[in-house]
Amino acid sequence: MSSSSANRFRPRFAALLGVAALTACSNITENDTTLSNYGAVTITAKNAPAGRATATINAVFFQGVAATAPNSALQQGDQCAYALIDSVTGGATGSLKVGESLALSFAGASVAMPFSTGFARYEPATGAVLSYAPGDVATLTVPGAAGAFPAASISVKLAEPIKPGPLVMPAAGLPLDVTWNGTNDATTAIILSVRYGATATSTVQNEQIYCALKDDGAFQVPASGLGALLASPSALRSVTLIRWRTQEVRPDSSSLLHIVSTIDTIVRFP
């Protein structure tokens, strides 16, 4: 169980792990640069009735000389920082075609993911969602294409539904207690985003306390970091919890295939 500690709260934005797809420089033209091949698979879920979850999936492939692949197993400590809320959204875009279609299997079902030319990415043609239960594993098979990306297969245990405990706005000078159904699984991690308006006159959520946490079921946001939250209009206060799990494989010496499964829920203060 996590405990409150003022020195764990850093009022500067730190280089915390994000649940984003791989990023890389892809416009390298120097002849003496050896490009590497990357594949990024994202499975994004929401809680569903009866303890299940529903998820969408896409995959993109590209080349680059450097890429950062988030690793949930490495995020087994607790740390927080202030950060602005980025309201810009956009879909993943790739640059490589690695076959006509990818094959996704899970819980005895199979889903085809054909190549979409609009965004150079793979996704179910019908916009189908996955419905899965805790413990289910998804496996993606990549046919590969000569000169683009080798044939490969990758599996990930899908992120289990996340269930927050009661949320209470603390009095001044007290920490904020956040609880959830922790897995205590060292392959998963938690992102906690406490969102609010930065001033008493704010009309939108524009700042957050962003925390990268162990999946142990409890965390206290130190009282020393809650001033702006307490001053925010009450209607703008909320907490987002995200559970995430990653895996990666290297089908050859110059290629990396990475998969991330996430599930999130939003809680409003009473």
Side-chain angles (χ1 to χ4, degrees):
M1 178 177 292
S2 302
S3 60
S4 174
S5 173
N7 62 14
R8 280 189 309 179
F9 190 92
R10 305 176 188 177
R12 293 183 304 165
F13 183 72
L16 302 182
L17 287 174
V19 191
L22 295 166
T23 59
C25 300
S26 58
N27 294 318
I28 304 301
T29 58
E30 293 86 348
N31 292 331
D32 60 352
T33 299
T34 300
L35 296 177
S36 296
N37 306 312
Y38 297 94
V41 186
T42 305
I43 301 174
T44 306
K46 299 286 186 181
N47 290 345
R52 297 182 65 84
T54 56
T56 59
I57 180 171
N58 66 68
V60 295
F61 296 82
F62 55 92
Q63 289 182 318
V65 293
T68 300
N71 187 334
S72 58
L74 296 180
Q75 186 51 60
Q76 298 305 312
D78 295 335
Q79 54 183 323
C80 294
Y82 291 122
L84 298 178
I85 294 176
D86 185 359
S87 60
V88 177
T89 59
T93 302
S95 60
L96 296 178
K97 186 175 182 180
V98 299
E100 292 300 326
S101 181
L102 311 184
L104 176 75
S105 62
F106 67 98
S110 181
V111 175
M113 296 174 55
F115 186 71
S116 172
T117 56
F119 294 97
R121 69 182 178 220
Y122 293 85
E123 55 196 348
T126 60
V129 297
L130 321 181
S131 175
Y132 69 87
D136 283 348
V137 173
T139 299
L140 186 75
T141 302
V142 179
F149 199 90
S153 179
I154 191 169
S155 297
V156 67
K157 182 181 178 183
L158 295 167
E160 297 86 348
I162 187 164
K163 301 175 183 178
L167 191 63
V168 177
M169 180 62 63
L174 295 178
L176 170 63
D177 288 301
V178 182
T179 61
W180 65 94
N181 58 326
T183 65
N184 290 303
D185 183 340
T187 69
T188 68
I190 296 292
I191 295 296
L192 166 66
S193 172
V194 183
R195 300 186 169 208
Y196 49 87
T199 68
T201 58
S202 296
T203 58
V204 295
Q205 291 182 323
N206 49 20
E207 191 173 86
Q208 63 181 320
I209 301 169
Y210 183 88
C211 302
L213 309 174
K214 301 185 298 294
D215 193 3
D216 59 5
F219 182 71
Q220 286 187 326
V221 182
S224 59
L226 299 179
L229 172 69
L230 295 175
S232 169
S234 58
L236 300 182
R237 301 167 179 161
S238 70
V239 166
T240 297
L241 282 164
I242 303 170
R243 173 174 286 132
W244 61 294
R245 180 182 282 115
T246 62
Q247 289 291 340
E248 66 181 50
V249 297
R250 295 183 178 272
D252 63 26
S253 61
S254 62
S255 302
L256 173 69
L257 180 59
H258 178 275
I259 190 168
V260 57
S261 171
T262 72
I263 189 165
D264 67 84
T265 189
I266 298 174
V267 189
R268 300 284 179 180
F269 285 90

